[in-house]
Amino acid sequence: SGINAEYGKDLKDMWASLGSIQDDKFCAEMVKVSPGKINFTAFLTFMGEKLADTDPEDVLHNAIACFDVQNTGFINQHQFTNALTQLGDRFSKEEIIQMY
């Protein structure tokens, strides 16, 4: 069974506002496992469960591997700094200085 198109759009919009694009299948699964209508509290609970299932070490390794395409064990500082200041939750100049 599918989900109400408007309800599905609301869920997708909520995820998008958090910087995560989810498809209809993901939102339908979210509705399926929810014991009732998904309000903000239920959404946060679901999100917390999904985050708890994430292996931070694997996530970090995969993210770093994107910058070490030749598998050298090193990351080009200039490319890494550009990514941190231009993508996603952008680092400030002060955060970059603090990091290095």
Side-chain angles (χ1 to χ4, degrees):
S1 70
I3 59 175
N4 174 296
E6 186 176 327
Y7 190 49
K9 183 180 179 332
D10 287 346
L11 285 174
K12 287 171 75 170
D13 288 348
M14 195 178 313
W15 278 107
S17 73
L18 296 170
S20 179
I21 306 302
Q22 302 297 338
D23 61 15
D24 291 335
K25 182 179 176 184
F26 181 89
C27 292
E29 181 63 23
M30 190 175 173
V31 171
K32 182 178 165 187
V33 299
S34 177
K37 195 155 178 100
I38 300 174
N39 59 19
F40 189 67
T41 302
F43 178 80
L44 290 178
T45 300
F46 183 85
M47 188 174 148
E49 289 170 357
K50 288 294 182 188
L51 291 174
D53 291 339
T54 302
D55 184 347
E57 187 175 336
D58 286 349
V59 171
L60 183 58
H61 180 269
N62 291 338
I64 298 297
C66 291
F67 295 97
D68 184 19
V69 293
Q70 295 177 342
N71 202 22
T72 62
F74 295 95
I75 299 172
N76 178 287
Q77 183 176 348
H78 179 72
Q79 288 176 327
F80 193 58
T81 299
N82 282 345
L84 291 174
T85 57
Q86 297 175 14
L87 303 172
D89 292 331
R90 297 174 180 166
F91 279 41
S92 69
K93 213 177 239 187
E94 292 80 22
E95 290 170 317
I96 294 294
I97 292 168
Q98 184 180 23
M99 186 179 71
Y100 292 123

